[in-house]
Amino acid sequence: MSTLHSANGAPDATLLDGSVVCLRQVTPADEVRLREFFAALDPRSQAFRFFCGGIDLSQAAHELAKADAGSLYGLIAARHPGGPALGHGVYVSLGKGQAEVAFAVAHDLQGHGLGTILLNDLAAVAADNGIDTFLAEVLPQNHRMLEVFCESGFPVETETEEGTVRVRMATARDGVRRRSDGDRGRSA
């Protein structure tokens, strides 16, 4: 795998269909972009991402734009650096080397590998920040998300509890984090 870079130096990722997206860390300036992305998700995708209807998308975007790489780290995917968001991933530290992870992908790109790319990049950053375990709650109907976790190559454990599937995943494939900045190339 080789790293691609867009004109502004942000890393690019190649999806399964051969198209390329730019990935970068979320900043506070992305609040509006995140709100628009969440609002554009179909109702089913919103429910899968937020577990409920009627969530205040403006408040969610406001909170998720406060990324700092330590306790809250987010990634945004777009066709070009200033373009509309096509995917978003985030982890929130829970302490003791654990973080909750979540992501959403625009309907047109679901099944193209963007979720896998977001998960891989989030895991790399989390491991670099002392987080060795991701936790996620997934609705049982969200088959694509469960596939992303189970086919990720990371050690994954799942259990069903009260209408959700609880996922526990290591942030390193073999339990030992081996990443260098030169190893950031990714494709689905």
Side-chain angles (χ1 to χ4, degrees):
M1 277 188 236
S2 63
T3 302
L4 300 172
H5 291 277
S6 62
N8 75 346
D12 290 342
T14 304
L15 303 181
L16 293 174
D17 64 3
S19 65
V20 176
V21 294
C22 175
L23 294 172
R24 64 173 177 74
Q25 183 176 353
V26 171
T27 69
D30 289 315
E31 184 176 333
V32 171
R33 186 173 285 114
L34 286 174
R35 184 180 66 239
E36 291 170 352
F37 170 68
F38 296 144
L41 292 172
D42 61 71
R44 182 178 171 122
S45 293
Q46 284 181 1
F48 283 167
R49 171 58 183 88
F50 296 108
F51 274 57
C52 61
I55 185 159
D56 184 341
L57 298 177
S58 294
Q59 184 62 30
H62 177 74
E63 292 301 319
L64 292 170
K66 297 178 185 177
D68 66 12
S71 60
L72 173 74
Y73 181 83
L75 286 173
I76 197 164
R79 290 287 180 204
H80 53 85
L86 301 173
H88 172 256
V90 64
Y91 74 72
V92 180
S93 176
L94 301 171
K96 299 181 183 177
Q98 297 183 341
E100 183 175 1
V101 65
F103 43 98
V105 174
H107 181 75
D108 292 348
L109 288 181
Q110 291 178 9
H112 291 258
L114 182 53
T116 299
I117 291 167
L118 289 167
L119 179 61
N120 283 326
D121 278 24
L122 288 168
V125 173
D128 287 349
N129 284 291
I131 295 168
D132 57 19
T133 304
F134 274 161
L135 304 173
E137 290 193 23
V138 182
L139 291 172
Q141 308 91 320
N142 194 348
H143 302 287
R144 281 190 169 153
M145 183 66 70
L146 291 170
E147 287 174 8
V148 168
F149 284 115
C150 292
E151 296 176 6
S152 67
F154 293 95
V156 174
E157 299 172 9
T158 61
E159 68 179 55
T160 303
E161 182 178 298
E162 298 182 28
T164 64
V165 178
R166 295 188 58 104
V167 177
R168 180 181 191 87
M169 182 192 100
T171 59
R173 284 181 172 75
D174 60 3
V176 179
R177 187 72 202 129
R178 293 185 193 130
R179 177 183 161 258
S180 68
D181 288 335
D183 188 27
R184 295 253 337 173
R186 59 232 174 266
S187 66

